[in-house]
Amino acid sequence: MWNVDFGNKLRSLRIDKGLNQTQLAERLGVTNSIISAYETQMRMPSLDLLVKIALEFSVSIDWLLGMERISSLDIAGLTNEQVLMISNMTNEFRRLNRK
């Protein structure tokens, strides 16, 4: 059986990106009823569609399936300086969390 968080993760990613089910379905080449079935845990996507979903939201398939607790951060469109700032902030948060 699959991780029951997949549907919730998909719904959260979709909403965070400002998409409704129909818009996401169009991007993935499926119907909105398929997206609804995924979000309500009635169905699971094929491997090909999992890849499309992961690419659409810049996350790993492992994270989508609950096998990895780390999500990706989309840094597309940021300058090298901005990426460095984010990296430094992340490292500082990790340091503070170790205390």
Side-chain angles (χ1 to χ4, degrees):
M1 201 67 175
W2 60 82
N3 185 306
V4 295
D5 285 343
F6 174 77
N8 292 329
K9 287 180 179 183
L10 180 61
R11 179 182 296 115
S12 179
L13 289 168
R14 175 180 59 76
I15 291 169
D16 287 349
K17 198 162 184 175
L19 300 172
N20 62 38
Q21 288 182 343
T22 301
Q23 291 167 322
L24 178 58
E26 288 172 358
R27 288 178 179 221
L28 299 176
V30 297
T31 64
N32 63 324
S33 62
I34 293 291
I35 300 300
S36 177
Y38 295 159
E39 290 184 0
T40 58
Q41 301 296 333
M42 299 301 292
R43 294 185 64 174
M44 280 296 287
S46 66
L47 180 57
D48 289 344
L49 200 50
L50 271 173
V51 170
K52 284 183 179 181
I53 292 168
L55 291 172
E56 177 68 31
F57 294 110
S58 300
V59 297
S60 72
I61 292 172
D62 286 349
W63 183 81
L64 280 172
L65 297 178
M67 299 169 63
E68 171 184 310
R69 294 161 73 107
I70 300 170
S71 62
S72 299
L73 178 63
D74 184 2
I75 58 170
L78 300 181
T79 66
N80 288 338
E81 182 177 301
Q82 291 166 330
V83 171
L84 181 60
M85 289 172 60
I86 290 170
S87 177
N88 289 336
M89 286 175 50
T90 303
N91 289 334
E92 179 63 14
F93 287 138
R94 285 189 186 112
R95 187 188 66 75
L96 291 171
N97 288 339
R98 283 192 294 258
K99 288 185 175 183

